[in-house]
Amino acid sequence: MFWLMEGMCFLPTFLVIWSSCSFIVSYIISLFEHHVPPVFPYISDTGTHTPESGIFSIMIVISAFLGVATMYTRYKFVEKLNEATHTVNPRLNHITFYVGLIGCMGMCVVASFQETVITSVHDIGALIAFLFGVIYILLQSIVSYMSVPHGSSLPLCRVRMVISIISVVAVFPSIL
């Protein structure tokens, strides 16, 4: 039944590693080029000047595609789980997937429009990425609770919900 899960655990792992590298690599390059202060620059500031802007853009777009692949894998997992258990509303699974896709599109907008060139488009993309990303995390927490005990454990659901709450709290300072 869960044949699709074999080998798929690399996707979320690779997504986290690649996304972290995206920020770290562009930060290091912009630091050596003296384009950002060494302590706590804005993420977007590390990708506004050449050469780091090109590297930042490519790596963030790849992160967005990895996010889509990870979300699609989760969507198919829940769909397959639902065939046997009927625990998660299929519409909720669809909506959750599409919310995640919109968040990833926001990441692509952020990567494509630099903060210093077209600020309003960049900020709208960041807002979409943050808001829809947090909504996706919340919806996945709900899906996890609905799939207990077949697709998730109660302790894992609680961890996901804590991460969701932290994400909701963190989105407000990010927007401001």
Short mmCIF file of all heavy atoms in Angstrom, two decimals, residues 7 9 12 26 44 48 55 102 147 162-163 169:
data_model
loop_
_atom_site.label_atom_id
_atom_site.label_comp_id
_atom_site.label_asym_id
_atom_site.label_seq_id
_atom_site.Cartn_x
_atom_site.Cartn_y
_atom_site.Cartn_z
N GLY A 7 11.95 5.38 -0.39
CA GLY A 7 12.92 6.29 -0.97
C GLY A 7 12.49 7.73 -1.03
O GLY A 7 13.26 8.60 -1.42
N CYS A 9 11.67 9.65 1.48
CA CYS A 9 12.03 10.45 2.66
C CYS A 9 13.19 11.39 2.37
O CYS A 9 13.41 12.34 3.11
CB CYS A 9 12.35 9.54 3.84
SG CYS A 9 13.80 8.50 3.57
N PRO A 12 11.97 15.69 1.71
CA PRO A 12 11.96 16.75 2.72
C PRO A 12 13.33 17.03 3.32
O PRO A 12 13.67 18.18 3.62
CB PRO A 12 10.99 16.26 3.80
CG PRO A 12 10.66 14.86 3.46
CD PRO A 12 11.10 14.57 2.08
N SER A 26 24.44 32.33 -0.38
CA SER A 26 24.30 33.72 -0.80
C SER A 26 24.76 34.69 0.28
O SER A 26 25.32 35.75 -0.02
CB SER A 26 22.85 34.02 -1.20
OG SER A 26 21.98 33.84 -0.12
N SER A 44 16.61 38.69 1.92
CA SER A 44 16.56 39.24 0.56
C SER A 44 17.75 40.13 0.25
O SER A 44 18.15 40.25 -0.91
CB SER A 44 15.26 40.02 0.36
OG SER A 44 14.16 39.15 0.43
N THR A 48 20.65 40.62 -3.54
CA THR A 48 20.30 41.78 -4.36
C THR A 48 21.39 42.22 -5.32
O THR A 48 21.10 42.89 -6.30
CB THR A 48 19.91 42.98 -3.47
OG1 THR A 48 20.96 43.24 -2.55
CG2 THR A 48 18.63 42.72 -2.71
N ILE A 55 22.85 33.39 -8.04
CA ILE A 55 22.94 32.14 -7.29
C ILE A 55 21.73 32.00 -6.35
O ILE A 55 21.10 30.95 -6.27
CB ILE A 55 24.26 32.07 -6.50
CG1 ILE A 55 25.43 31.99 -7.49
CG2 ILE A 55 24.29 30.90 -5.54
CD1 ILE A 55 26.78 32.23 -6.88
N ILE A 102 0.61 27.46 -4.04
CA ILE A 102 0.58 28.93 -4.09
C ILE A 102 1.76 29.50 -3.29
O ILE A 102 2.41 30.46 -3.73
CB ILE A 102 -0.77 29.47 -3.59
CG1 ILE A 102 -1.87 29.08 -4.56
CG2 ILE A 102 -0.72 30.99 -3.42
CD1 ILE A 102 -3.29 29.32 -4.04
N SER A 147 -5.53 11.77 10.57
CA SER A 147 -5.03 10.47 10.11
C SER A 147 -4.48 9.59 11.23
O SER A 147 -3.95 8.51 10.95
CB SER A 147 -3.97 10.67 9.03
OG SER A 147 -2.84 11.32 9.55
N VAL A 162 2.78 22.33 17.44
CA VAL A 162 3.67 23.31 18.08
C VAL A 162 4.41 24.10 16.99
O VAL A 162 4.50 25.34 17.07
CB VAL A 162 4.66 22.62 19.05
CG1 VAL A 162 5.77 23.56 19.47
CG2 VAL A 162 3.93 22.09 20.27
N ILE A 163 4.91 23.41 15.99
CA ILE A 163 5.58 24.10 14.88
C ILE A 163 4.61 25.04 14.17
O ILE A 163 4.97 26.16 13.80
CB ILE A 163 6.20 23.08 13.90
CG1 ILE A 163 7.36 22.35 14.58
CG2 ILE A 163 6.66 23.76 12.61
CD1 ILE A 163 7.89 21.16 13.81
N VAL A 169 2.85 32.62 14.95
CA VAL A 169 3.39 33.73 15.74
C VAL A 169 4.51 34.43 14.97
O VAL A 169 4.60 35.67 14.97
CB VAL A 169 3.88 33.23 17.11
CG1 VAL A 169 4.65 34.30 17.86
CG2 VAL A 169 2.70 32.74 17.95
#
